Amino acid sequence: MSLTIESISHPSHHLINLSGEVDTKTATSLMDALAELELAALLELRIDMADVAFLSSAGLRALLFAKQKMPYESRLVVIGANTAIVEVITKTGLTEAVTLVADVSLLS
Amino acid sequence: MDRIDSLPTDNICGLRVRPGKPLPFGVSHVPGGLNFSVYTSAGERCTLVLFHQGAPEPFAELPFPSHYRIGDVFCMVVFGLDFEDLEYGFRIDGPYHPEKGDRFDPTQILMDPHARLIAGRDVWGQDPNWQRPYPYRARVSLDDFDWQGERPLEIPMQDLVIYETHVRAYTQSPTAETAHPGTYAGLVEKIPYLKQLGINAIELMPVFEFDEFENSRLHPDTGERLYNFWGYSTVGFFAPKAGYAATGKSGMQVDEFKQLVKSFHKAGIEVILDVVFNHTAEGNERGPTLSFKGLDNKTYYMLTPEGYYFNFSGTGNTLNCNNPIVRSLVLDCLRYWASEYHIDGFRFDLATILGRDPWGAPLSNPPLLESLAFDPILSSCKLIAEAWDAGGLYQVGTFPAFGRWAEWNGLYRDSVRRYLKGDAGMVGQIAQRVLGSPDLYRMSGRAPATSVNFITCHDGFTLADLVSYNDKHNEANGEWNRDGGDDNHSWNCGAEGWTEDLGIQQLRRRQMMNAFAVLLTSRGTPMLLMGDEFGRSQHGNNNAYCIDSPLTWVDWTLLKSNADLQAMVQALIAFRHQHPALRVNRFDGPPSSLLPCSSFHGPTAWQPDWSGESRQLAWMLSCDHQTPAGDPAVDIVYVATNMAHFASWFALPAAPEGYGWQLCFNTGDNQQPILRDQPRIDSGLLVGERSVVILQATPLPTPMG
C-alpha cells in the first residue's frame, strides 16, 4: 500500500496529512517531506494520521527524526492516530517526544 | 561522498550483492544494503536464506561465492532489501560425522547466533505453527534509540538493594492492574511502587529470547499446559524476548526494552540481567538443530570423545565457554547489552561452567572470566556469579573473581534460614554472614559487597512458603513431586500450609520480618525476591519453573492484606540507605571515632555466647561518615536477634558519651514493629521469643541553657 503526503504551511504551525501506510518503503518519502521543512525553526508540527492504517518501526523513527531536528521547546503533535499506532507510540516511550491528540479540535 | 565500496559487484538470484565485511558478525546496515557475516570453522559452503516476514518459503537463497569467504567467515552485502519485511537464516554444508563432533546438515536453516531481533514467538503462549520450517527467525534491528543523555547509574555495589523479578510473573495477574500485563511496558508501570519500596536495582530473570514452548507438555493429571516459564534456556543471546513485549507483534521489542531501561534509570534503579551462557535451547543429540549445532557443533559445545554432549548444566548440553570463539561470542554479547541497552550488570546462571575447560575440568585461571573482569566496555558493570553448576562444582568463596566478580552467597541463604528456625550451633555462622562472609572472601582480598546476600530467590521457596512449609509441594509441576530441592531449611511454624491458627499466622509474619531484619542489616549486597515483601506464596512449590498461572504470578491483593509486612520492609530498606555502618565495604574497616567497626554481643554486652546451644546474637556496626550537609558524624547501629522460643533480656553496650540508644524496629511487637517515634532506651531491653530488635545510637539533645 502506498502513502499519500500532503504538506500545508500555516502561520502558527505546519500540517502534514498522511494517508495510507508508513513502512520502510514509504517512510523514505515521509522523511523527504520532513527534510524539506525548516525543522530547526519550526515550533509546531502537526501530523494528521487519521487515515494511516499502519506505522512501522521506520515510521516511528521518521517522527523522532523530525522532533530531534526541531527546537527543544517545540512540539510535534500526532492527530487522530488509531489505537494500534497509539499503543506502539506509548509502549516504546515515544510520548516523551510526541503529543498525541484524538482530534484537531483538542488543540489549543 | 559515496564510498567506492557501496556499489554491487555481482548478481545472485536476481539480487545485487558484493563481498561483505567479516566484522561485525551478524547483520549490519551499510549504505544501500545489509552486510551479512557468519562464522563456521569446518563448514564448507554457506547459503544465505531470505524470507518475507512470516512467509513459509524463502524468496531467495544466495550461495556465498568462494571469494566471499575471509578466513572462516562468510560475508556478503545484499542491496535493495526491505529490512523491516526481512527474515533471514543460513544453510551450512559440511561433513556429518557426529562421532567426530560435526553435524552439518544443509537441509536445516540456521538462525544467526548474533541475531538482535528474533521472530517466531512474538506473543507469549500463542501456539506456534509447528510445521513451519525455521521456527525462530533472525530479523534486522536498527539499533538506534533516543536515550536523551541517560546513562548507566554506576551505584556502588555495597549501596545496592537488589530485587529479583520475572517480567511476566510480576504483572500478569489482573490484580497487578496494569494496562499491559506481563510485559516490559507492564513492568515500567510498577516503577513508582518499586521506587517507593526503596530498592535501587532490579534483576530480571532471563529476557534473552527463549521459547516458552520448549519441553512444553500437559500435566499428566490436570491436563494444564506446562511451559518453560522461567526461561533459563537461551534461543538468541542478542535479542530481547519478543513475547515479553507488548509490541512484540510489531517487532518493536528492542525499543520497548530500551524504554524500560531508560525508565528505570530515570527512577534511580539499575537494571541487572540474569544471563544464561552455560547451555542453549538445542539440547543434546536428540534436541533440535537451531543454530550452533549446524554452524559449528564442536566449537560451540563441550563434547565427549564419542561426540555426545557433556551435561554440566543439567539441561542436555554445555556451551564450550573457554573456546576462543565462544568466549568472543559471550564478550560480544555482554558488550552489546552494556553499550546498546545501557545494562548495569549481569548475573550469570551456573557460572562455574564458564570456568571449565573444553573437557569440563575446572580451570584455575579461566580466560573467559578474566576477559569479562577486565573488559573496557564492561568495566563499570556488575558481574555476579551463581557459583555452582549441575555438574557438582561448588565455588562459593573460591570462584575465580579477578577482583571484580560478586557471588550469590548460597551459604548466607542456608545459614540464615537455619538460624531463623532455631537450629543449634548457628551463631558462629551468623557472625560471619552478617559481616559479608569474611570466612569466604577475606583471604582472597575480596570485599563484603562480593557477597550477594539472599534468603530467597526464584529457585526455591518464597519467603512466605519458607515459613509455611516443611516440605516441597511440587505436584503442579507434573513430576510427582520428585523435582526441586529437598534441602530447604524451612519451618512451617506448626502447621503445613494454610492455617486458621492465629498464633501460627502471627509467628509466620514475625519470622518473615526477622528474615528481612537480618538481611537488611547484614553487610554485603542484599537481594529480595519479588513479592516477598508482601508475603507472596507459591503454595509450597519450590521449583515453579514450568507454571504460568496464578500460582506463580504475583498476587497484588497481598499488598493490601499484608500491608504491615510491606511497610516493615520499606522501612528497613530506608534504614539501610540511611546507615552507612551497614554498608561498610571493607573486612578490615577502620574503627569509627567512638567504636569498633563491628562487634558482637549476647544477652550480656560485649560477651557473645558462641556455644552450640546459643540462639541469641547481637551485632553492633559503626563507621565515621559525613552528613549530607558535610559535617562529620558517627553512625552506630545495634541489632539483637533472639531465635530461641523464650524471651531474653539484652543488656545494651553503653552508648558513647553524648550518645543514646533509640529503638527503631522490634519484630516482637505485633502491634508496632516499626517505632516511628524511635523511643530512647537506656540500659537494655527484653527481646521477645524469635524476634529481632534494631537500634541506632544518636547524639543526645544538648540541655538548653
Side-chain angles (χ1 to χ4, degrees):
Chain A
M1 197 172 168
S2 63
L3 178 71
T4 312
I5 304 169
E6 187 185 26
S7 192
I8 309 161
S9 197
H10 291 273
S12 61
H13 64 272
H14 192 90
L15 174 68
I16 290 184
N17 287 317
L18 298 179
S19 172
E21 290 192 346
V22 193
D23 57 17
T24 345
K25 288 173 193 138
T26 59
T28 323
S29 19
L30 176 57
M31 291 284 272
D32 291 345
L34 292 167
E36 281 173 18
L37 308 179
E38 277 191 43
L39 290 169
L42 187 59
L43 288 176
E44 182 166 324
L45 174 62
R46 297 181 182 180
I47 302 185
D48 193 323
M49 289 205 179
D51 294 323
V52 173
F54 173 74
L55 179 78
S56 79
S57 142
L60 271 184
R61 279 161 173 78
L63 298 185
L64 205 56
F65 163 83
K67 183 65 179 93
Q68 284 177 345
K69 300 266 174 186
M70 290 165 67
Y72 180 76
E73 64 278 14
S74 66
R75 67 173 184 168
L76 194 163
V77 187
V78 169
I79 303 163
N82 69 28
T83 318
I85 293 175
V86 169
E87 286 261 293
V88 164
I89 288 178
T90 312
K91 289 171 204 160
T92 52
L94 213 66
T95 38
E96 289 166 22
V98 170
T99 308
L100 291 165
V101 295
D103 190 276
V104 73
S105 64
L106 298 170
L107 284 172
S108 53
Chain B
M1 197 174 105
D2 288 340
R3 294 171 54 111
I4 57 167
D5 61 358
S6 62
L7 296 173
T9 55
D10 301 296
N11 192 312
I12 305 178
C13 297
L15 287 166
R16 293 168 305 138
V17 300
R18 67 172 294 123
K21 291 184 186 296
L23 290 175
F25 289 126
V27 63
S28 48
H29 293 265
V30 294
L34 296 169
N35 185 70
F36 296 86
S37 167
V38 64
Y39 158 85
T40 172
S41 70
E44 291 156 2
R45 286 169 295 281
C46 178
T47 304
L48 174 65
V49 186
L50 303 176
F51 294 81
H52 290 301
Q53 204 181 338
E57 299 299 327
F59 69 86
E61 299 213 17
L62 288 67
F64 285 76
S66 56
H67 64 289
Y68 281 43
R69 178 177 186 159
I70 296 174
D72 290 334
V73 182
F74 290 96
C75 44
M76 167 158 51
V77 174
V78 185
F79 293 87
L81 295 173
D82 175 359
F83 76 90
E84 283 196 320
D85 180 44
L86 187 72
E87 293 170 345
Y88 71 96
F90 300 102
R91 294 186 198 273
I92 308 277
D93 199 358
Y96 185 82
H97 301 301
E99 71 285 359
K100 292 182 182 166
D102 290 321
R103 288 177 178 269
F104 293 102
D105 176 2
T107 66
Q108 299 282 347
I109 304 172
L110 307 171
M111 197 189 71
D112 178 1
H114 286 79
R116 293 162 182 188
L117 193 62
I118 296 172
R121 297 292 181 269
D122 305 334
V123 178
W124 175 280
Q126 197 173 74
D127 272 328
N129 174 0
W130 298 106
Q131 308 310 319
R132 191 166 86 150
Y134 189 35
Y136 315 112
R137 296 185 170 191
R139 293 192 60 201
V140 184
S141 159
L142 272 171
D143 281 346
D144 58 347
F145 188 70
D146 185 15
W147 288 99
Q148 295 182 308
E150 176 285 318
R151 62 186 301 278
L153 299 176
E154 299 185 14
I155 301 172
M157 188 79 183
Q158 67 271 20
D159 294 339
L160 287 188
V161 177
I162 303 174
Y163 189 85
E164 194 198 25
T165 321
H166 183 279
V167 171
R168 182 170 168 82
Y170 203 56
T171 66
Q172 181 58 27
S173 163
T175 62
E177 296 181 349
T178 52
H180 311 295
T183 64
Y184 303 128
L187 188 52
V188 169
E189 293 178 59
K190 288 294 180 191
I191 289 177
Y193 166 75
L194 292 166
K195 178 129 178 98
Q196 195 178 19
L197 180 63
I199 59 104
N200 55 8
I202 188 153
E203 183 171 311
L204 301 178
M205 288 168 67
V207 297
F208 290 0
E209 185 63 65
F210 66 89
D211 184 359
E212 64 271 24
F213 285 99
E214 185 186 346
N215 295 324
S216 178
R217 62 197 195 283
L218 298 180
H219 190 289
D221 298 329
T222 64
E224 187 186 5
R225 178 159 291 285
L226 302 173
Y227 295 91
N228 166 23
F229 183 64
W230 283 353
Y232 286 89
S233 189
T234 309
V235 166
F237 291 100
F238 291 77
K241 176 147 186 64
Y244 279 168
T247 57
K249 226 166 27 177
S250 327
M252 293 199 201
Q253 55 268 34
V254 170
D255 297 272
E256 190 175 321
F257 191 69
K258 285 178 180 173
Q259 180 59 26
L260 174 144
V261 177
K262 185 175 166 185
S263 307
F264 270 100
H265 284 177
K266 271 189 180 169
I269 298 172
E270 293 198 339
V271 180
I272 297 172
L273 299 188
D274 192 343
V275 294
V276 189
F277 288 111
N278 52 74
H279 70 283
T280 75
E282 293 188 297
N284 59 14
E285 40 289 332
R286 290 188 294 276
T289 296
L290 306 172
S291 181
F292 298 113
K293 270 187 185 172
L295 283 168
D296 223 340
N297 189 49
K298 65 186 175 197
T299 293
Y300 287 109
Y301 292 114
M302 291 187 191
L303 301 176
T304 68
E306 301 78 28
Y308 293 105
Y309 293 85
F310 275 122
N311 186 16
F312 297 115
S313 66
T315 54
N317 64 50
T318 312
L319 212 54
N320 192 8
C321 288
N322 281 302
N323 174 293
I325 299 296
V326 186
R327 212 159 70 208
S328 106
L329 176 93
V330 174
L331 207 53
D332 283 354
C333 170
L334 296 174
R335 286 172 163 178
Y336 176 70
W337 286 93
S339 57
E340 196 59 43
Y341 284 86
H342 294 195
I343 294 301
D344 303 274
F346 302 96
R347 177 268 185 191
F348 295 73
D349 183 59
L350 305 183
T352 55
I353 287 179
L354 278 55
R356 289 182 183 266
D357 74 10
W359 300 274
L363 291 157
S364 57
N365 214 18
L368 174 58
L369 300 181
E370 186 180 27
S371 306
L372 294 173
F374 296 111
D375 187 78
I377 296 170
L378 303 175
S379 66
S380 59
C381 279
K382 277 87 181 173
L383 302 176
I384 305 168
E386 182 187 38
W388 53 84
D389 67 30
L393 190 56
Y394 190 83
Q395 292 185 310
V396 171
T398 58
F399 189 80
F402 300 100
R404 278 277 281 123
W405 284 79
E407 293 173 12
W408 269 24
N409 188 345
L411 202 54
Y412 183 94
R413 174 196 58 205
D414 298 342
S415 305
V416 174
R417 285 181 175 197
R418 293 184 60 195
Y419 183 58
L420 287 172
K421 74 187 178 76
D423 279 8
M426 294 308 297
V427 287
Q429 281 283 327
I430 289 301
Q432 297 286 350
R433 300 306 142 242
V434 300
L435 291 186
S437 297
D439 57 336
L440 298 177
Y441 302 118
R442 185 180 198 152
M443 283 295 283
S444 48
R446 297 162 80 182
T450 292
S451 171
V452 174
N453 298 331
F454 66 103
I455 298 170
T456 53
C457 65
H458 70 273
D459 196 357
F461 280 140
T462 67
L463 188 58
D465 288 352
L466 187 73
V467 298
S468 305
Y469 294 91
N470 284 349
D471 301 302
K472 67 185 182 188
H473 295 269
N474 293 358
E475 290 78 7
N477 300 347
E479 296 173 48
W480 297 277
N481 206 26
R482 286 199 292 247
D483 63 308
D486 293 309
D487 50 348
N488 298 297
H489 306 297
S490 63
W491 176 47
N492 65 19
C493 297
E496 188 74 351
W498 189 84
T499 176
E500 280 182 337
D501 187 313
L502 290 178
I504 292 176
Q505 285 182 14
Q506 213 163 62
L507 177 56
R508 287 176 178 171
R509 174 179 157 282
R510 193 159 76 243
Q511 287 285 71
M512 287 192 273
M513 289 189 180
N514 291 341
F516 281 115
V518 172
L519 178 67
L520 291 161
T521 57
S522 296
R523 286 181 180 158
T525 311
M527 183 180 80
L528 291 67
L529 172 64
M530 60 175 177
D532 271 358
E533 73 276 20
F534 46 78
R536 170 176 171 254
S537 168
Q538 291 182 155
H539 306 300
N541 194 321
N542 76 351
N543 187 36
Y545 70 99
C546 56
I547 313 286
D548 178 27
S549 80
L551 182 83
T552 48
W553 301 342
V554 172
D555 175 1
W556 288 84
T557 62
L558 294 170
L559 179 55
K560 224 175 228 174
S561 45
N562 292 328
D564 56 343
L565 176 62
Q566 198 273 347
M568 179 75 169
V569 178
Q570 192 166 312
L572 283 165
I573 294 174
F575 187 81
R576 183 175 184 84
H577 289 315
Q578 284 158 12
H579 287 280
L582 302 176
R583 294 178 275 120
V584 169
N585 198 26
R586 284 174 59 178
F587 288 123
D588 55 351
S592 69
S593 314
L594 303 169
L595 288 166
C597 185
S598 60
S599 56
F600 288 98
H601 311 263
T604 308
W606 301 100
Q607 290 179 30
D609 177 1
W610 299 118
S611 69
E613 290 307 307
S614 167
R615 290 176 176 85
Q616 286 103 6
L617 185 69
W619 52 95
M620 183 165 63
L621 306 173
S622 181
C623 73
D624 287 345
H625 70 113
Q626 282 195 331
T627 64
D631 300 322
V634 182
D635 189 38
I636 305 165
V637 173
Y638 171 88
V639 183
T641 60
N642 174 22
M643 293 304 135
H645 61 281
F646 48 84
S648 281
W649 179 264
F650 276 66
L652 291 171
E657 199 175 335
Y659 280 72
W661 290 112
Q662 284 184 292
L663 181 59
C664 303
F665 299 95
N666 181 1
T667 67
D669 184 337
N670 293 327
Q671 301 305 316
Q672 203 184 353
I674 311 165
L675 293 108
R676 305 269 180 204
D677 53 350
Q678 302 182 337
R680 291 277 174 195
I681 302 283
D682 290 331
S683 53
L685 77 171
L686 191 68
V687 180
E689 59 177 271
R690 303 186 196 282
S691 298
V692 178
V693 300
I694 303 173
L695 296 94
Q696 62 184 5
T698 52
L700 292 165
T702 319
M704 294 295 286

